Amino acid sequence: MHRWAVVLIPFLFALADTTATRGQTIWCQDISGNTTWTAASSPYHVTCDVRVGGSNTTLTIEPGVEVHFASVTGLTVGSDDGPTRVGALQAVGTSSQPILFTSLSGLEGDWEGIHFGDESDMGTVNSLLEYCIVEKGGQGVYPANIY
């Protein structure tokens, strides 16, 4: 009986190690209240256009988060339709844990990129991107990753 216990204990620890993975979040909704995208819920798969804006709304993204955009989708911070959609993006990675914004398909120019509208960085909210990689965007009207 004791021999089985010795064999089972290492097996259970090995099993626990293989199941400890990061999450995955599918996102398809506007952000109208302060929201944080966490490393524990990363990667985020954005499947529709997402707008960040409300009454001084901030989307905060933690270091190490990956955001993968489906084809022809993008992120709009603030809005071009008036002061009711004030928004900001706080994406502050580190040198060892950068934040990645990229295409879900892996194709160049597949997603629209990050757009800062007229109502971004108004009022009490300000955007900041540090240690971020923004790649494979530029689909649509503006062929750029950030515009």
Side-chain angles (χ1 to χ4, degrees):
M1 184 163 163
H2 291 275
R3 186 182 316 166
W4 285 104
V6 171
V7 172
L8 269 177
I9 290 173
F11 175 75
L12 290 175
F13 282 118
L15 184 62
D17 287 344
T18 61
T19 58
T21 59
R22 289 171 38 157
Q24 174 181 318
T25 303
I26 308 298
W27 194 277
C28 183
Q29 65 184 20
D30 287 344
I31 298 169
S32 59
N34 292 336
T35 302
T36 300
W37 287 358
T38 65
S41 296
S42 178
Y44 286 80
H45 292 181
V46 178
T47 59
C48 67
D49 286 325
V50 174
R51 296 189 312 170
V52 178
S55 179
N56 294 320
T57 298
T58 300
L59 170 59
T60 303
I61 302 178
E62 293 182 345
V65 167
E66 294 184 6
V67 185
H68 301 221
F69 290 86
S71 182
V72 197
T73 66
L75 178 65
T76 299
V77 180
S79 175
D80 296 329
D81 42 327
T84 60
R85 306 277 309 164
V86 175
L89 173 61
Q90 288 280 318
V92 181
T94 65
S95 59
S96 62
Q97 290 186 304
I99 296 168
L100 175 65
F101 298 90
T102 192
S103 166
L104 183 60
S105 71
L107 298 173
E108 288 288 337
D110 191 48
W111 66 288
E112 293 175 355
I114 301 171
H115 171 66
F116 290 89
D118 292 342
E119 301 303 322
S120 64
D121 298 335
M122 302 281 292
T124 61
V125 295
N126 293 300
S127 293
L128 178 63
L129 282 76
E130 289 183 349
Y131 292 102
C132 292
I133 300 166
V134 184
E135 64 179 18
K136 301 180 181 171
Q139 199 286 332
V141 178
Y142 302 100
N145 287 311
I146 301 174
Y147 60 100

